[in-house]
Amino acid sequence: MQGLSVRVRGIVQGVGFRPFVFQLAERYGLNGWVRSTDGQIEIEVDGSGEALAGFLHDLREGTPRLARIEAIDSEDRPVSDYTTFEIVEARVGAGWRALPADSAACDACLEEISNPSERRHRYPFTNCGHCGPRFTIIEDLPYDRSRTTMACFEMCEDCRSEYEDPRDRRFHARPLACPACGPRVWLQRPNGEAVEGDAIEACVALLAAGQVVALKGPGGFRLACDAADAEAVARLRGRQRRYGKPFALMVPDLEWAKRLCEITPREAGELESRERPIVLLRRRAAGGVAEEVAPGLDTLGLMLPCTPLHYLLLRRFDRPLVMASGNVNGEPVAMGNREALERLSAVADAFLLHNRDIVARYDDSVVRVIADSVVPIRRGRGLAPTVLDLPFAAAQHILAVGAQRRNAFCLVKGSKAVVGPHIGNLDDPETLDQFERSVELFERLLEVKPDVIAHDMHPDYLSSHLANEYPAPSALRVVVQHHHAHVVSAMAEHGVREPVIGVVYDGRGYGPDGAIWGGEVLIADWKSFQRVAHLRYAPMLGGETVIHKPYRMATGYIWSLCRACEVDFEEFLGRVPIGERILLRRQLETGLDTPPTSSCGRLFDAAAALLGVRIEAQYEGQPARQLEAVADPAVHAVYPYDILRDGEGWIIDPAATLRALWCELRAGRPVPTIAAALHNTVADFTRNVCVAIREKRGLKKVVLSGGCFQNALLTRRVLDGLSDDGFEVLTHRLVPPNDGGIALGQAVVAYARTAGI
Ligand code: ZN
Ligand code: ZN
Ligand code: FE
């Protein structure tokens, strides 16, 4: 007989780890105990050397579905003469980082809901220790049913015996429930009138009849309708006042996904992952989905069912459903029943409701496979919160408030960074409210009291006001430039600390010179940056209004940078709405309300307008997404551009590129060819600038960040160009390249500046 003590670190709490250990000990005939302590699992076992070896082996190999093991440490100790194996009381202070995010239903639970002889047959809230809701229902820690929104449901005797049986997969599964004791689902009309019959059957019938149904999902409401029914989709758009923006679809299974889209094994893996994100996929020409679902795009956002409720629904409906966010006109997604009934009654024909409350709103996560890597686009349900290991241990607690749009905040405590869920656009007062509640919840859960608060440099951003007015007057405020934060967020993901070349192509970020930056090449480390190259400034006629009026961006570009084409300018002006021509001319001549920008996103806007792909935009980034959609990836042509010396650095002047684009169009060259060449040109000047920097400064590592790198074609071209030239290129894997990722960068910059490294 020998004794062994084992410590397991990682996500090992709330994931069925202790029953897993219990069953292993039983299988190998070991005595001793297991308990959780401060986010770790501690085990002591006595047994034969062979049995202990087998136990350790299976501990490593048989990890429960939701667990993520960081390390298993074991050491010999004297035998203790244990006579049983027991799960002993947890030691308090159970660490926050031990918790997983929500997870899709596991196979065993799906089996149960499909089996008529099971008591959970067709029960929408079936879950177990290996699946189900977590962060969306947790009100406080330590993790216990009494501190979740399941507290109000008294367990029945059957459930309780499962809960207390270490051999059962529902042992200590806090959200466990059954039809006898758990939450229930019902269907009602906006006026409160109940719809008779089985809620799911009735819901399917309404959807099949072209109606819009508001569904209470895991992290908030969604609006569903038949994706094949063009009229239903158009009706939903009209009621939601959401035009142009693509809708995500939920498909019954992988086979359906393959019918609609071309899917690589990598992408299939993402679709089927327990996080169940929306995966952006290349759409097939024919597919039986209304064009209105994703107008003008070559991609569709698909997801598989996640909760038992969705499985039941999709199995019966048996074809794709539109799953739009449950909101109107960009407001936050409705979360509570009453809130949904108030805000969505003009949008939905019926409501599929239930009585399990949601604590925190989690939008659906979105990912895209770009150049063989899975890139998060939005981190919500399943993906958030994300816990990252930092290559340092901060003595202070840090809160980074993130960006103004696509906001997500970040908290740093010790050597861990926790990036919160996607919040949205802080311009909206309700979203702002959501931000404050979410930060408060996480600070409580993680026991963080910020000593340092990091925020963006933009003086007018609400996020900056929030940081300044944050109720911690003595906390240090650290201001971080937008694109510096972008670069450092990618560096932190990869644990890189030494200076890199940071290529940041995005929509807009405040520059220290007061201009709007967004086509930037920086030399950056955690503490500081130097702007070595940028796109030449072009005027934004009317400031941020250009985002919806790309023709204004094109006008500004042609006028100020392409003077040689004065004739063309007159011709192009012919496309500008008559009422605006005089105004734009005056703005061009006086410079009134025309802030300069080096934004790469705006360059794509201008190009889309010039090519007639998108004269006006229904949402930010639409012109670029449509350019990517039409571009012919077989084209490798590059258009001319200029790189001008500017002191120690360079200015990239795309005037010649736009001129070429215009001339090619007039010469009858197909738009797909021209659109591709634009992407290639950006990749080409990026490579040349990086080569020049390497020659001067010897830097060989390049980080790519910014919203433009959600564009798969652009990312591939830039990556290929740089790799061919021998650069090591780092891209985002954990946080989004868009503004949803910058809080991490802000936090790390704040750490570096305040820790004096
Ligand atoms: Zn399960
Ligand atoms: Zn029960
Ligand atoms: Fe940005």
Side-chain angles (χ1 to χ4, degrees):
M1 289 289 277
Q2 298 173 13
L4 190 71
S5 70
V6 186
R7 268 174 182 274
V8 188
R9 275 188 291 129
I11 297 179
V12 287
Q13 240 200 335
V15 295
F17 206 88
R18 289 168 309 149
F20 159 68
V21 172
F22 179 91
Q23 283 160 33
L24 273 188
E26 216 170 38
R27 189 182 318 152
Y28 285 99
L30 306 176
N31 291 331
W33 52 261
V34 57
R35 72 172 172 204
S36 59
T37 310
D38 292 332
Q40 304 187 13
I41 294 286
E42 286 182 337
I43 308 166
E44 286 202 356
V45 275
D46 290 345
S48 72
E50 202 182 326
L52 291 177
F55 173 82
L56 263 185
H57 173 268
D58 288 5
L59 197 62
R60 278 177 213 285
E61 301 300 315
T63 310
R65 181 171 182 260
L66 297 186
R68 289 281 179 278
I69 292 183
E70 281 169 19
I72 299 183
D73 303 315
S74 62
E75 55 184 40
D76 295 337
R77 48 156 197 79
V79 179
S80 299
D81 296 326
Y82 295 121
T83 53
T84 55
F85 190 88
E86 277 172 42
I87 296 178
V88 298
E89 196 74 359
R91 276 228 316 251
V92 275
W96 48 269
R97 62 171 189 248
L99 285 178
D102 288 28
S103 152
C106 73
D107 291 343
C109 285
L110 289 179
E111 264 301 310
E112 277 181 20
I113 63 166
S114 321
N115 184 346
S117 63
E118 289 284 348
R119 65 194 188 94
R120 292 191 176 86
H121 180 228
R122 302 190 72 242
Y123 182 56
F125 303 95
T126 304
N127 66 76
C128 73
H130 306 294
C131 73
R134 295 289 185 276
F135 259 98
T136 53
I137 60 163
I138 292 174
E139 287 165 334
D140 210 344
L141 291 177
Y143 181 40
D144 186 77
R145 186 174 171 105
S146 63
R147 285 179 282 269
T148 69
T149 57
M150 286 300 292
C152 57
F153 298 97
E154 179 103 31
M155 267 186 246
C156 68
E157 253 166 55
D158 288 337
C159 285
R160 177 151 301 277
S161 67
E162 292 169 331
Y163 189 82
E164 286 167 358
D165 178 4
R167 285 170 195 84
D168 196 289
R169 74 173 204 284
R170 295 203 167 87
F171 176 75
H172 281 198
R174 275 71 158 197
L176 106 168
C178 81
C181 68
R184 59 179 195 91
V185 64
W186 70 91
L187 186 68
Q188 69 173 63
R189 292 292 183 181
N191 62 10
E193 185 189 315
V195 180
E196 293 301 314
D198 178 274
I200 289 167
E201 293 294 324
C203 180
V204 166
L206 293 188
L207 289 167
Q211 302 208 358
V212 174
V213 181
L215 307 174
K216 189 173 183 177
F221 275 80
R222 299 187 184 117
L223 291 160
C225 73
D226 184 349
D229 185 339
E231 276 175 40
V233 178
R235 207 175 306 129
L236 175 57
R237 283 202 181 281
R239 291 181 190 172
Q240 250 193 320
R241 298 199 290 278
R242 175 186 166 123
Y243 303 103
K245 257 191 185 173
F247 283 136
L249 303 181
M250 189 177 274
V251 291
D253 51 34
L254 192 59
E255 288 318 303
W256 256 106
K258 286 179 176 163
R259 232 180 279 176
L260 300 183
C261 294
E262 290 166 27
I263 297 176
T264 64
R266 190 69 180 271
E267 290 166 333
E270 281 305 302
L271 279 170
E272 292 189 303
S273 70
R274 62 179 175 76
E275 290 86 3
R276 285 292 194 281
I278 294 168
V279 186
L280 297 183
L281 300 160
R282 176 171 288 275
R283 103 196 255 181
R284 291 185 193 278
V289 165
E291 174 57 29
E292 263 299 289
V293 165
L297 300 183
D298 63 338
T299 53
L300 277 180
L302 301 187
M303 65 179 146
L304 294 182
C306 166
T307 69
L309 179 62
H310 292 109
Y311 272 100
L312 294 167
L313 205 61
L314 267 291
R315 256 183 219 164
R316 282 292 288 125
F317 194 69
D318 203 28
R319 58 181 189 277
L321 276 178
V322 165
M323 282 288 176
S325 315
N327 61 0
V328 179
N329 212 8
E331 287 171 357
V333 171
M335 199 166 84
N337 289 353
R338 199 179 311 144
E339 183 190 9
L341 286 165
E342 269 167 24
R343 282 169 33 191
L344 303 177
S345 59
V347 185
D349 299 302
F351 289 77
L352 190 66
L353 301 177
H354 62 69
N355 55 344
R356 186 178 73 197
D357 286 342
I358 303 167
V359 171
R361 179 168 64 86
Y362 278 75
D363 291 356
D364 292 315
S365 292
V366 182
V367 303
R368 185 175 194 186
V369 175
I370 300 176
D372 287 330
S373 315
V374 180
V375 179
I377 304 290
R378 184 169 75 193
R379 295 171 45 274
R381 171 192 48 78
L383 290 181
T386 303
V387 181
L388 254 90
D389 281 302
L390 297 169
F392 57 82
Q396 292 152 312
H397 292 178
I398 302 168
L399 163 67
V401 297
Q404 179 73 6
R405 292 171 206 84
R406 290 175 171 273
N407 180 276
F409 58 85
C410 174
L411 289 165
V412 169
K413 181 183 181 183
S415 62
K416 302 277 180 185
V418 177
V419 186
H422 168 83
I423 303 265
N425 191 341
L426 295 184
D427 293 335
D428 183 287
E430 286 191 56
T431 312
L432 199 60
D433 196 52
Q434 160 91 8
F435 170 90
E436 286 174 332
R437 270 182 292 133
S438 196
V439 170
E440 191 271 328
L441 176 71
F442 272 75
E443 285 184 354
R444 194 152 42 82
L445 296 183
L446 313 184
E447 296 178 331
V448 166
K449 284 217 182 331
D451 309 299
V452 179
I453 300 174
H455 66 90
D456 194 84
M457 187 174 266
H458 200 303
D460 300 332
Y461 275 2
L462 275 173
S463 57
S464 303
H465 291 299
L466 272 174
N468 286 319
E469 277 150 36
Y470 191 85
S474 61
L476 221 59
R477 266 61 176 183
V478 177
V479 174
V480 185
Q481 199 277 328
H482 187 92
H483 302 95
H484 185 209
H486 267 301
V487 176
V488 177
S489 67
M491 292 171 76
E493 271 189 38
H494 293 273
V496 171
R497 191 188 272 256
E498 72 276 10
V500 297
I501 303 172
V503 175
V504 190
Y505 292 157
D506 76 348
R508 46 193 158 143
Y510 187 83
D513 61 354
I516 294 166
W517 292 15
E520 311 303 316
V521 183
L522 314 176
I523 292 178
D525 59 18
W526 288 358
K527 230 178 194 167
S528 59
F529 72 93
Q530 183 196 344
R531 188 192 204 192
V532 273
H534 64 87
L535 277 171
R536 189 169 159 194
Y537 285 142
M540 285 168 79
L541 300 178
E544 302 217 324
T545 55
V546 296
I547 285 156
H548 292 282
K549 299 178 172 187
Y551 61 83
R552 288 190 170 192
M553 208 56 229
T555 310
Y557 253 113
I558 303 173
W559 173 266
S560 64
L561 304 189
C562 317
R563 282 303 186 85
C565 337
E566 185 66 17
V567 186
D568 293 343
F569 179 68
E570 292 304 327
E571 192 181 328
F572 180 75
L573 217 53
R575 290 201 206 158
V576 169
I578 291 177
E580 283 190 28
R581 286 181 205 162
I582 294 172
L583 170 77
L584 292 188
R585 261 200 184 281
R586 192 173 325 125
Q587 283 181 330
L588 284 167
E589 280 156 9
T590 61
L592 215 70
D593 198 17
T594 58
T597 185
S598 55
S599 163
C600 186
R602 298 292 88 80
L603 173 63
F604 273 81
D605 285 355
L610 274 178
L611 292 177
V613 169
R614 222 43 250 181
I615 300 285
E616 298 193 62
Q618 293 160 301
Y619 56 93
E620 183 166 11
Q622 185 184 27
R625 286 189 73 168
Q626 292 202 7
L627 275 181
E628 183 192 358
V630 298
D632 175 0
V635 173
H636 286 272
V638 172
Y639 290 152
Y641 55 85
D642 292 293
I643 295 183
L644 317 168
R645 238 12 262 220
D646 174 43
E648 287 293 285
W650 298 273
I651 288 173
I652 304 157
D653 184 354
T657 313
L658 291 174
R659 219 156 24 224
L661 208 127
W662 179 250
C663 296
E664 291 267 282
L665 183 73
R666 296 210 311 173
R669 185 88 63 194
V671 170
T673 306
I674 307 175
L678 172 72
H679 287 75
N680 303 338
T681 306
V682 174
D684 198 68
F685 65 60
T686 305
R687 194 192 66 206
N688 278 327
V689 166
C690 289
V691 167
I693 295 172
R694 182 173 59 191
E695 274 166 16
K696 258 177 81 172
R697 309 284 289 267
L699 299 172
K700 295 189 181 93
K701 244 181 215 157
V702 182
V703 155
L704 305 182
S705 191
C708 295
F709 290 109
Q710 297 168 107
N711 178 327
L713 178 62
L714 182 71
T715 308
R716 270 204 321 270
R717 290 288 197 259
V718 172
L719 256 172
D720 288 350
L722 290 169
S723 314
D724 284 351
D725 240 311
F727 286 98
E728 183 190 340
V729 189
L730 306 175
T731 56
H732 286 280
R733 301 276 191 284
L734 295 170
V735 299
N738 60 49
D739 288 1
I742 77 167
L744 175 63
Q746 291 176 341
V748 172
V749 171
Y751 162 75
R753 293 213 189 125
T754 56
I757 58 159

